[in-house]
Amino acid sequence: MNEIINKKVKFRDLGFMDYQEAWDFQESIFAKTVAQKIENRNSSVDRQVPTENYVFFVEHPHVYTLGKSGKEENLLLDQKGLEEKKATYYKINRGGDITYHGPGQLVGYPILDLDNFFTDIHKYLRLLEEAIILTLKEYQIESGRIEGLTGVWIDHIEQKNPRKICALGVKSSRWVTMHGFAFNINPDLSYFGNIIPCGIDDKAVTSLSQELGKEVNLQEVKEKVKNHLIDLFEMELVD
């Protein structure tokens, strides 16, 4: 538990960024935060430095990422197929299976020291989901969770045609988080046809634009998601 609680969160929109570059950027901040926690625990209270918190928004070029518990056969493309789709592929250190990132998708990377908020990884995941659920509600779209599955789903109650609109995959060490969520706004959904998304082969993937039948202003969605994250986590945002 941190002796000094810091709920200030530095927010930055990284714009359009290569996946490897964004991953390296996350890793550097994550490592710095963990190192500060270790140093604090070996220091007297008057010498401790508050750990910092960050939320990054980003869009990636076409890329498939496979989590630690994922299966490579859930990627349905070989190297030639990836090249034809102008997509890259990475095995990464988050939880979960395979997913897709690409233009028109809002990817959020919170690097938070949960000791500053609450030490409950399940609550953390549920609040990320809730930020998306509340955002969708602003567009008059009802969404929610399906028991046993992460992410945000449409038609989550009757499940006649359940479809995922936001995927989650995180890493946590010493209560510091990285990776995060991928919210489909205006992506090319055909790219999901090249994988078994999150290893689930009996449910569809959708986007906000597909559900509304029109393209959506991505900047508008970013503001809504950001505001819900601030409220749910009781953050003090620093731009």
Side-chain angles (χ1 to χ4, degrees):
M1 182 70 182
N2 292 350
E3 296 291 342
I4 305 172
I5 300 298
N6 175 31
K7 290 195 173 233
K8 291 183 178 179
V9 178
K10 296 181 179 180
F11 173 80
R12 183 177 169 192
D13 189 336
L14 301 175
F16 199 72
M17 182 181 282
D18 174 76
Y19 186 83
Q20 183 69 62
E21 184 181 355
W23 188 10
D24 291 344
F25 182 59
Q26 280 192 84
E27 287 280 13
S28 65
I29 294 173
F30 177 84
K32 179 182 175 183
T33 305
V34 170
Q36 186 62 63
K37 291 196 76 169
I38 294 171
E39 185 175 334
N40 282 347
R41 289 179 182 180
N42 294 323
S43 304
S44 59
V45 175
D46 62 308
R47 296 179 65 85
Q48 291 182 8
V49 176
T51 51
E52 295 186 331
N53 309 288
Y54 302 83
V55 172
F56 300 112
F57 283 175
V58 66
E59 275 184 272
H60 292 306
H62 302 298
V63 59
Y64 297 103
T65 68
L66 183 71
K68 292 186 297 182
S69 57
K71 298 178 180 178
E72 284 197 70
E73 55 264 34
N74 288 333
L75 173 65
L76 307 178
L77 295 173
D78 57 14
Q79 186 57 43
K80 183 179 178 182
L82 287 168
E83 291 170 2
E84 289 174 351
K85 292 289 183 179
K86 297 181 179 178
T88 51
Y89 169 59
Y90 294 94
K91 296 178 185 177
I92 63 174
N93 58 353
R94 60 162 170 78
D97 206 292
I98 197 162
T99 195
Y100 160 77
H101 300 311
Q105 183 188 70
L106 170 58
V107 180
Y109 293 135
I111 304 179
L112 306 177
D113 179 0
L114 292 183
D115 261 326
N116 289 320
F117 301 93
F118 48 78
T119 50
D120 185 333
I121 196 67
H122 295 288
K123 181 178 179 180
Y124 172 66
L125 291 170
R126 301 298 81 79
L127 289 187
L128 292 183
E129 292 167 345
E130 191 66 20
I132 306 304
I133 290 168
L134 292 173
T135 298
L136 289 168
K137 192 171 251 187
E138 294 193 64
Y139 291 94
Q140 288 73 55
I141 294 176
E142 290 299 318
S143 62
R145 304 170 184 86
I146 294 178
E147 187 175 353
L149 301 174
T150 59
V152 177
W153 299 78
I154 293 173
D155 188 20
H156 62 293
I157 298 174
E158 293 187 1
Q159 296 187 36
K160 292 180 180 178
N161 178 27
R163 48 210 185 273
K164 181 180 275 192
I165 196 165
C166 181
L168 265 63
V170 304
K171 173 186 175 181
S172 174
S173 177
R174 294 180 183 267
W175 296 113
V176 179
T177 68
M178 65 176 287
H179 299 297
F181 63 85
F183 183 13
N184 298 329
I185 314 300
N186 304 307
D188 180 349
L189 291 175
S190 70
Y191 275 80
F192 285 97
N194 303 312
I195 60 173
I196 300 175
C198 302
I200 302 168
D201 61 5
D202 63 344
K203 292 178 176 62
V205 175
T206 190
S207 67
L208 185 53
S209 60
Q210 177 158 294
E211 294 300 318
L212 295 176
K214 62 180 181 181
E215 189 163 318
V216 185
N217 184 304
L218 184 58
Q219 192 59 43
E220 178 184 273
V221 179
K222 288 178 180 179
E223 286 301 313
K224 293 180 187 300
V225 174
K226 180 171 73 171
N227 289 334
H228 288 306
L229 288 172
I230 292 169
D231 291 342
L232 290 165
F233 284 85
E234 299 179 350
M235 297 171 171
E236 182 184 339
L237 195 70
V238 180
D239 282 317

